[in-house]
């Protein structure tokens, strides 16, 4: 685990204060007491249905663990059991907490391979994205569907042997930004409006790229205080 991630248990730290962001790095494979059977009971019927739609048992198991971790983290902050956490869709169908809890915490979840990221803030919209770096993609074709002109110029000017790494760095920054704004993927370069959103790279592991996006809250250039926590693998979600 990168050295700047402090180990913590869900509910073991206070919720972030005004302007703050907590970022959680979760390893979703290979923990004692972290089996799918051990955590699936916390999920809702809708989450079970979604997990059942995965064709790969490995992908389904990782998705279940990441959702259970999200529930445990949010439940720890809210003072409730993971199974009691209730979700809804906010503006532009961005996932949010349901009811009165939606005003208490903003969050975002991303997972890829055996890692997941959860960003949490009490008063700022957040977006997180993590991607396992994969070779053999047509980076330019993928980028043209989502990147703006400035990002495309940077990618096209990159040496071919470095293009994959640069593509994934730009991709996670783009996804984190649009997830923060709630504009969603697949809406073209216009969805990546940079105004009012601050983005930073996040070092999570070798062969992964990750980024965190935070609503500036009218404070341009001021990213807020971000604490980075590594999921304690000894804890049950």
């Amino acid at each position: 685990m990168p050295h700047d991630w402090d180990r913590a248990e869900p509910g073991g730290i206070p919720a972030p204060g005004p302007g703050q962001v907590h970022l959680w790095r979760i390893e979703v494979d290979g923990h004692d007491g972290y089996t799918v059977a051990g955590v699936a009971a916390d999920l809702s019927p809708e989450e079970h249905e979604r997990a059942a739609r995965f064709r790969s048992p490995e992908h389904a198991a990782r998705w279940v663990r990441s959702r259970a971790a999200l529930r445990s983290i949010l439940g720890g902050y809210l003072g409730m059991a993971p199974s009691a956490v209730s979700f809804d869709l906010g503006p532009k169908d961005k996932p949010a907490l349901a009811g009165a809890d939606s005003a208490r915490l903003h969050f975002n979840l991303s997972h890829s391979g055996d890692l997941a990221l959860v960003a949490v803030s009490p008063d700022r919209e957040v977006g997180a994205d993590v991607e396992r770096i994969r070779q053999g993609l047509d980076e330019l074709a993928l980028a043209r569907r989502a990147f703006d002109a400035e990002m495309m110029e940077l990618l096209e000017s990159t040496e071919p042997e470095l293009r994959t790494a640069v593509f994934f760095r730009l991709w996670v920054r783009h996804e984190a930004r649009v997830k923060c704004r709630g504009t969603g993927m697949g809406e073209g370069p216009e969805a990546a409006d940079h105004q009012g959103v601050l983005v930073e790279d996040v070092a999570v592991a070798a062969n992964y790229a990750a980024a965190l996006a935070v609503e500036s809250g009218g404070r341009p250039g001021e990213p807020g205080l971000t604490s980075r926590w590594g999921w304690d693998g000894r804890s049950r979600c």
Side-chain angles (χ1 to χ4, degrees), residues 43-62:
L43 271 59
S44 69
E46 292 78 13
E47 288 169 321
H48 281 286
E49 291 176 5
R50 182 170 175 182
R53 292 198 293 267
F54 282 89
R55 294 184 177 182
S56 165
E58 179 185 35
H59 293 167
R62 287 174 168 175

Side-chain angles (χ1 to χ4, degrees), residues 75-149:
Y77 290 139
L78 297 171
M80 63 177 64
S83 60
V85 176
S86 182
F87 298 103
D88 201 351
L89 293 178
K92 301 181 181 179
D93 290 337
K94 181 178 180 179
L97 289 166
D101 291 329
S102 64
R104 298 176 60 187
L105 289 175
H106 301 277
F107 72 91
N108 198 234
L109 165 69
S110 177
H111 59 90
S112 179
D114 62 355
L115 290 179
L117 284 180
V118 173
V120 182
S121 176
D123 54 4
R124 306 171 78 176
E125 291 290 351
V126 290
D129 194 65
V130 59
E131 292 285 346
R132 182 175 60 85
I133 296 174
R134 305 179 298 282
Q135 304 294 326
L137 300 177
D138 188 342
E139 292 95 351
L140 292 177
L142 291 169
R144 290 189 186 102
R145 294 160 50 188
F147 289 0
D148 60 23

